[in-house]
Amino acid sequence: MRELMYLQAINEAFAEELERDEKVFLMGEGIQTGTFGTTTGLVDRFGPDRIMDTPISETAIAGAAVGASLMGYRPVADMMFSDFMYIAADEILLKAAQWRLLQGGTQQLPCVFVANIGGYRKLGNEHSQCPYSMMLHNPGLKVVIPSTPYDAKGLLKTAIRDNNPVIFLYHKGLLPVMGEVPEEDYTVPFGVADIRREGTDVTVVATSFQLFWAEAAADMLKDEISIEIIDPRTLEPLDIDTIMTSVRKTGRVVIVDEDTERCGFAGELATQIMERGFYDLDAPIKRVCAKNYPIPGGIMEKFVLPQPEWVVQAIKDVMVD
Amino acid sequence: MRELMYLQAINEAFAEELERDEKVFLMGEGIQTGTFGTTTGLVDRFGPDRIMDTPISETAIAGAAVGASLMGYRPVADMMFSDFMYIAADEILLKAAQWRLLQGGTQQLPCVFVANIGGYRKLGNEHSQCPYSMMLHNPGLKVVIPSTPYDAKGLLKTAIRDNNPVIFLYHKGLLPVMGEVPEEDYTVPFGVADIRREGTDVTVVATSFQLFWAEAAADMLKDEISIEIIDPRTLEPLDIDTIMTSVRKTGRVVIVDEDTERCGFAGELATQIMERGFYDLDAPIKRVCAKNYPIPGGIMEKFVLPQPEWVVQAIKDVMVD
Amino acid sequence: MEFGKEDLIKLYVNLVRTRAFDRAAIKWLATGKLLSFYHPAEGGEAPGVGGTTFLRKDDVISPHLRGHGLPHMIGKGVDPKRYMAEHCGKATGFGNGLGGFHSAMDEFGMFGGTGTLGSCFPLSAGWGLAAKKNGTGQVVVCFFGDGTSNRGTWHEAANMAAVWKLPIVWVCENNGVAQYMPIQDAYPLEDLANMASAYGMPSAVVDGQDVVAVAEAVMAAVEMARNGDGPSFIECKTARFSAHGIGNPDKLHGKDRTTEDIAKLRERDPIVLFRTSLLEKGVLTPDDVERIDQEAVAEIDETEKFIDESPFPDDPALLDAALYAE
Amino acid sequence: MEFGKEDLIKLYVNLVRTRAFDRAAIKWLATGKLLSFYHPAEGGEAPGVGGTTFLRKDDVISPHLRGHGLPHMIGKGVDPKRYMAEHCGKATGFGNGLGGFHSAMDEFGMFGGTGTLGSCFPLSAGWGLAAKKNGTGQVVVCFFGDGTSNRGTWHEAANMAAVWKLPIVWVCENNGVAQYMPIQDAYPLEDLANMASAYGMPSAVVDGQDVVAVAEAVMAAVEMARNGDGPSFIECKTARFSAHGIGNPDKLHGKDRTTEDIAKLRERDPIVLFRTSLLEKGVLTPDDVERIDQEAVAEIDETEKFIDESPFPDDPALLDAALYAE
Ligand SMILES: Cc1ncc(C[n+]2csc(CCOP(=O)(O)OP(=O)(O)O)c2C)c(N)n1
Ligand SMILES: Cc1ncc(C[n+]2csc(CCOP(=O)(O)OP(=O)(O)O)c2C)c(N)n1
Ligand SMILES: [Mg+2]
Ligand SMILES: [Mg+2]
């Protein structure tokens, strides 16, 4: 099958959905040029009214996306770095997420917020975060964090077609990664986890870029430990059933997630697993997350962001007794 | 001992710290009048330069507090409703919280963000939340949620004297509650939980206003179940040791917290307890939290916000087998 | 826009109905029928009523919080029954009992309200963008208070509206105070309309107690916007006769507003002023006035009956249905 | 302010040093010595240098991202060694290797940088408030780009500064572009200085390629602020000679900037213009020029040596110490 880079897969998903539905439009800072290539070239095909370069006004971009979605458009707000979404927290976490319910549940808000996540580039706290736990914490948003070109394209198309606000977060570290992407139209449904590798000793739930660490660890340990790796792909809706089926089989769990540990997705998932499968667990669940510090600039980030050896260690830890 | 209302205790803490240290000042919307009584009257004693009424500019209020703290002042930013802190998310969650580490850790940012939390007033999502889990998630902030007049005063004084940004959240439902408050100067240290009631069967960790539900439940069940109730008082720093000592004794845990369940404090604490005391637990930990919906306006909030009977049920649930 | 006799009467009727509903809301809050809180419109009805009465049904409005949007809704032609039912928490409300004081009436171009002041600005930019894109001539009229104008969201939205020439009219209801804060301590110039000059936006300052002056200024701006000439700014100098919210002290900077201050404001009651002028001009007779008052009373009674007969919502499943659209 | 010969030479030296450091940063990024990213200052050095060279040491500055604050730091009198060490991730950096391109030099009134553009505005309001409170005559000079001026935070901070008469000078470095966006598509008027009129704030538009003009305008505004006359706004029309950041395409709306466009900008190189004028006036001789260039080269060499000899931080305990103050 044809291979594309993750960033090309995203770009192609945009192009196809722009083509398919004239209500779809994109807006964001410099998107006609495209800071990360995900929107590059689209303006040549769809024109500046549908690929809108905006002023540096994150709050207005996000709020305008919400507004336009209420009037039947399907805006995609490109927020560039997900860290900049803090600037539009009211617009994204309260307006986009909660408007529908607060007005009685009769409206539709089909908008997508797209942004990059992730560290390992020594850029410091405001260009490195994975702030999706905050988005999960404020009910009303669907949250999508694809780890492959295939999923990036298929999930982005689903996101744009969804009648609810969706957060679509692509990882900087994945942008140049190649993978198979069919030529035909396809979508990937929300709420269906991907079992990336089957195993019987330990369940490793890993997200986005962290799947690299999980797979590297599984490779390293393959002669000793049989590891099942699960990529939830969407964090809301979350395919807890697939995870629980795996947990019931292995009894041991490591969660690898790049967002900050405290009050993060990993703790949430650990608690949900415990609530549902306490008696199936043979050892305490281990979290491998960004440690509870701001992400420093420079090389010190290596002490904060999850490292491959932390995953190996966590897997060994849950195998004890 | 003298009794004061919770709101008076807060007011008195402000007055004493304003008196004690001329670098302390307050700013916020309408604080010279005082929307909830917590700042009422202070302007008569300390004048408008230290009790500053501001324009409706949450972002600038919060950012200015951060700025002034870097220059040796000890500003208190009154954000009125904690829901409005979303508007200043960049300023509070990234600037206040993370500035010090990102500049190398040599500066001090002694600022306090004060706001009310809590529902049960039918005001809907943007006047009812308890958004401290988001504050815990972004490292660098201390988070204080007092449940009694005594603690409100003592913790607020500690907050103002702390050389770091502190979030001080008082619950609307507690404002008129009376309690003993000494006349003499005292402070309550951060990171020390309060064992509100001793017991041997179940550990109930409850926060802020939820202590009422926890105590009501314990009263109801007192002939059947011996319940230990712990108020962490500060969520960061968190007195996990006191909680673990209790868990080792009881083996059963219910966490009652008004913030939204998903990626919230309760799940974080549940995970921390599991990580440290997995083998001490006799049953899965139960969370009683706001359900994963926006808080509706009107009476429908009763289906979302924790209710006393939910606590009773959760305690019974953890007693099974 | 030229206003005929019918137009003037319509404005007057809407003002009277607004005040009747405002008083009802105050009473119903006291008796526990109305839930949460209420911020009375009395004295500040004209900007909302004048700014909406002559809009197209599909024009979009973002109501200001004062009177919880009643002046704007009534002007826009919404029957307030289901809005008031919502505010009383009833299942028959526009928000099915989930919204409280928020609630949307999409078919009247009201997509709903919010609790954070100033979040209306980015949303209005989005509505304006959609209106421009769909090319049907829809206009967005965004109403907000003097205090709310200090939110940074206005700058972003106003700039976006100006640079993209969006069909938006910003209507500032400047009643001189924001809760307990006088506007002269929150903004350095006399007229908030100066804010428009930062974006080269046309602006006007009008007597906000003169409902006709408001309607004229707003409708001129609306015509401009409809013709593709972009956004503009109307500042209405109006008043707040009572305290910020029911149960709040009527203070500024911690000091009581004096009875003289209030009495002076009340001299320029927008309804009294307009009634006097309509009676003088012979557009209305004393009998008409009497009848209009009685009709308003009847409408309130009918609304109260509707509310009282409506059930409270009582099904948690409503939440699941309301959380996500299909 | 009257500038004497020494002053002019100081300005010139600071411009030359700025460009030398800018070039070094570009080179060091290419070789992996400088970490993360870099946004070159070339063509836009004069606002930063002119706006800071004559400030008091305790005046507060908020540098713009362009050149990552090098023009401003150098003007302010900071030895860039430890700043560059920080940017190279070294333990000897101003941020002890924790900050990267952020880092504070409190004793020079630089409390640090941020990653989110426009968060400088509320912080500057706070610095201005502290400066007003402490009564020492400190002034805050906040530098920002044309693109950054579109953030709503500016409105809130500027309004607060105006209404409280805070000693703040807003210096807009308008280079006509924000990353890939021309300012004429992001703001509706010719001059960003119009933004000041919303708050009745004095403003001036100056040739940002003329370092003396910048210094004059900024220092006049600084004097006003020092005297308690409140904030003002200086717009410097400047230029960006290269792409937004190293490794980025030099495009606007997805189309390449033409070589003619760039050539035209380069005709007004602030260093060349100033050098020519100083040589003409006899303030500098060709020998001086040569010597100043060589001194700058020597300073770069020394800085590089310092960086190369500095260790990387390697102790996670640094994080605990940096998270909270005692
Ligand atoms: C973002 C935000 N800040 C503060 C409040 C609290 N609040 C509600 S009404 C009000 C005053 C609004 O003043 P103005 O805009 O002048 O409207 P008015 O009440 O005078 O009609 C305030 C501060 C809020 N709801 N949202
Ligand atoms: C809040 C925020 N939005 C976007 C960015 C990404 N960004 C970095 S520099 C830049 C352009 C800034 O333009 P301008 O203010 O004109 O400064 P210039 O680069 O032209 O000197 C952008 C969009 C950011 N860092 N922060
Ligand atoms: Mg007002
Ligand atoms: Mg620029």
Side-chain angles (χ1 to χ4, degrees), chain D residues 145-147 173 175-178:
Chain D
D146 49 291
E173 309 186 4
N175 62 7
V177 316

Side-chain angles (χ1 to χ4, degrees), chain B:
Chain B
M1 202 191 289
R2 177 185 67 147
E3 295 219 332
L4 288 183
M5 282 192 283
Y6 182 85
L7 76 88
Q8 290 171 316
I10 292 172
N11 193 300
E12 208 174 77
F14 281 136
E16 288 178 16
E17 294 306 302
L18 282 157
E19 187 68 53
R20 202 183 59 82
D21 184 347
E22 61 175 25
K23 294 290 189 187
V24 176
F25 70 94
L26 271 57
M27 60 180 159
E29 294 160 19
I31 61 169
Q32 293 178 0
T33 308
T35 303
F36 292 92
T38 53
T39 57
T40 305
L42 295 174
V43 68
D44 298 331
R45 207 163 135 198
F46 301 101
D49 288 344
R50 297 187 65 203
I51 311 297
M52 304 183 74
D53 272 353
T54 65
I56 301 177
S57 298
E58 282 75 10
T59 317
I61 296 166
V66 176
S69 78
L70 280 163
M71 283 177 65
Y73 286 88
R74 307 185 84 82
V76 177
D78 185 330
M79 307 302 292
M80 199 181 312
F81 286 81
S82 58
D83 316 76
F84 304 163
M85 292 165 92
Y86 284 75
I87 291 171
D90 183 25
E91 283 61 35
I92 298 174
L93 303 180
L94 297 180
K95 298 304 169 297
Q98 312 207 331
W99 189 272
R100 176 178 153 85
L101 189 140
L102 267 290
Q103 316 300 334
T106 58
Q107 300 167 319
Q108 295 188 344
L109 290 90
C111 50
V112 184
F113 298 91
V114 177
N116 74 60
I117 53 173
Y120 306 101
R121 295 190 161 207
K122 310 188 178 67
L123 294 173
N125 67 335
E126 289 166 355
H127 288 81
S128 305
Q129 298 178 98
C130 294
Y132 40 74
S133 302
M134 279 168 48
M135 281 123 202
L136 294 167
H137 180 64
N138 289 274
L141 298 168
K142 300 190 178 180
V143 178
V144 183
I145 51 170
S147 67
T148 66
Y150 180 92
D151 287 347
K153 180 167 174 189
L155 288 168
L156 180 51
K157 286 166 69 91
T158 303
I160 294 173
R161 296 182 197 181
D162 199 284
N163 287 325
N164 296 284
V166 179
I167 310 281
F168 180 94
L169 301 170
Y170 60 92
H171 197 288
K172 293 176 199 77
L174 295 171
L175 286 168
V177 169
M178 302 286 295
E180 294 194 340
V181 178
E183 313 254 1
E184 323 79 71
D185 183 45
Y186 72 96
T187 57
V188 174
F190 288 177
V192 182
D194 184 21
I195 302 176
R196 289 278 282 263
R197 192 178 290 206
E198 298 204 8
T200 52
D201 293 335
V202 178
T203 301
V204 175
V205 179
T207 57
S208 189
F209 184 68
Q210 297 302 316
L211 280 150
F212 276 90
W213 294 175
E215 295 192 330
D219 287 345
M220 249 190 77
L221 298 169
K222 71 169 178 301
D223 298 331
E224 305 151 55
I225 307 172
S226 166
I227 294 170
E228 180 141 307
I229 300 180
I230 299 180
D231 174 2
R233 299 200 283 196
T234 62
L235 304 184
E236 165 64 9
L238 178 68
D239 184 1
I240 189 74
D241 293 341
T242 295
I243 295 169
M244 289 314 299
T245 303
S246 177
V247 172
R248 292 207 175 91
K249 178 172 64 174
T250 63
R252 298 172 196 274
V253 184
V254 171
I255 305 170
V256 189
D257 184 63
E258 196 180 324
D259 198 356
T260 302
E261 182 173 284
R262 194 167 51 219
C263 295
F265 168 70
E268 173 62 28
L269 179 57
T271 306
Q272 287 193 27
I273 291 172
M274 186 188 50
E275 286 166 346
R276 288 169 171 79
F278 181 73
Y279 302 99
D280 299 308
L281 288 173
D282 298 319
I285 298 168
K286 276 263 161 189
R287 298 187 271 185
V288 178
C289 299
K291 295 211 170 132
N292 292 325
Y293 302 98
I295 302 171
I299 66 155
M300 288 295 289
E301 72 174 16
K302 73 178 177 210
F303 297 118
V304 175
L305 298 177
Q307 302 295 317
E309 24 340 329
W310 302 4
V311 181
V312 173
Q313 187 59 50
I315 294 171
K316 288 184 181 164
D317 286 350
V318 297
M319 287 305 292
V320 171
D321 52 75

Side-chain angles (χ1 to χ4, degrees), chain C residues 149-156 159 162-164 181 183-189 191 194-201, chain D residues 149-156 159 162-164 181 183-189 191 194-200:
Chain C
S149 78
N150 298 140
R151 281 283 321 275
T153 44
W154 189 73
H155 171 66
E156 295 196 4
N159 181 55
V163 82
W164 288 348
M181 179 72 162
I183 184 64
Q184 59 265 33
D185 296 327
Y187 182 72
L189 304 176
D191 295 328
N194 283 299
M195 284 168 45
S197 62
Y199 317 97
M201 221 185 263
Chain D
S149 79
N150 298 139
R151 281 285 320 274
T153 45
W154 189 73
H155 171 64
E156 295 197 2
N159 181 55
V163 80
W164 289 348
M181 179 72 162
I183 184 64
Q184 59 266 34
D185 297 327
Y187 181 72
L189 303 176
D191 296 328
N194 283 299
M195 283 168 47
S197 61
Y199 317 97

Side-chain angles (χ1 to χ4, degrees), chain A residues 30 32-33 35 44 53-58 80 84 87 122-123 126-127 293-294 296-300 302-304, chain D residues 35-37 97-99 101 114-116 147 150-151 179-181 251 253-255 312-316 319-320 323:
Chain A
Q32 293 178 1
T33 308
T35 303
D44 298 332
D53 272 352
T54 66
I56 301 177
S57 299
E58 282 76 9
M80 199 180 311
F84 304 163
I87 291 172
K122 310 188 177 70
L123 295 173
E126 290 167 354
H127 289 80
Y293 302 99
I299 66 153
M300 288 295 289
K302 74 178 176 209
F303 296 117
V304 175
Chain D
L35 304 182
S36 62
F37 45 27
L98 285 163
F101 61 98
T114 87
T116 49
N150 298 139
R151 281 285 320 274
Q179 198 179 2
Y180 307 118
M181 179 72 162
K251 289 181 189 282
H253 293 316
K255 305 232 177 323
F312 282 107
D314 204 24
D315 183 1
L319 293 167
D320 277 317
L323 182 62

Side-chain angles (χ1 to χ4, degrees), chain A residues 90, chain B residues 29-30 35 54-58 79-81 83-85 87 126-127, chain C residues 37 39-40 64-67 114-119 144-151 172-181 183 192 238-240 244-245:
Chain A
D90 182 25
Chain B
E29 294 160 19
T35 303
T54 65
I56 301 177
S57 298
E58 282 75 10
M79 307 302 292
M80 199 181 312
F81 286 81
D83 316 76
F84 304 163
M85 292 165 92
I87 291 171
E126 289 166 355
H127 288 81
Chain C
F37 45 27
H39 301 89
H64 179 43
L65 80 98
R66 195 126 298 283
T114 88
T116 50
L117 291 171
S119 57
F144 55 97
D146 48 289
T148 307
S149 78
N150 298 140
R151 281 283 321 275
C172 181
E173 309 185 5
N174 181 359
N175 61 8
V177 316
Q179 197 178 5
Y180 307 118
M181 179 72 162
I183 184 64
L192 284 158
T238 182
R240 194 190 80 196
H244 172 64

Side-chain angles (χ1 to χ4, degrees), chain D residues 85-142:
Chain D
E86 180 65 37
H87 211 321
C88 295
K90 295 302 181 85
T92 54
F94 269 120
N96 302 317
L98 285 163
F101 61 98
H102 315 76
S103 73
M105 290 134 274
D106 289 16
E107 65 278 29
F108 287 92
M110 291 181 65
F111 295 103
T114 87
T116 49
L117 291 171
S119 56
C120 57
F121 300 129
L123 292 167
S124 293
W127 293 325
L129 181 58
K132 184 178 173 181
K133 279 183 185 290
N134 71 26
T136 60
Q138 264 173 302
V139 170
V140 178
V141 188
C142 175

